[in-house]
Amino acid sequence: MKRTGIMKIKDILRHHHDLELPRAEIAAATGVSTGTVSHVLARATAAGLSWPLPSGLDDEAFRARLYPAPG
């Protein structure tokens, strides 16, 4: 399964939190499926992430929080 790029993930979070769009509209605006939107939002919630992201959180740390190493 291909992972969604960081910029798209950030766009999904922004559309969800700032614009309060439904998943279908977020999917259309970002060019991903509604399943991907749901998956990203679930991972962000599980990681305790919202929008705006915490200051100082770089892309590598952001990805590590969304997709932690197994085990």
Side-chain angles (χ1 to χ4, degrees):
M1 171 190 271
K2 181 181 170 188
R3 285 200 180 153
T4 305
I6 291 294
M7 293 308 297
K8 284 210 187 232
I9 292 170
K10 289 179 179 179
D11 281 345
I12 290 167
L13 293 176
R14 182 178 57 80
H15 281 81
H16 178 72
H17 292 286
D18 281 355
L19 303 177
E20 299 178 358
L21 295 177
R23 284 174 167 78
E25 288 184 33
I26 295 169
T30 58
V32 299
S33 70
T34 55
T36 296
V37 172
S38 294
H39 179 77
V40 166
L41 294 176
R43 283 194 169 272
T45 299
L49 295 168
S50 187
W51 189 264
L53 294 173
S55 62
L57 184 68
D58 64 17
D59 287 351
E60 187 175 323
F62 178 53
R63 183 173 291 283
R65 286 192 52 190
L66 283 177
Y67 300 99

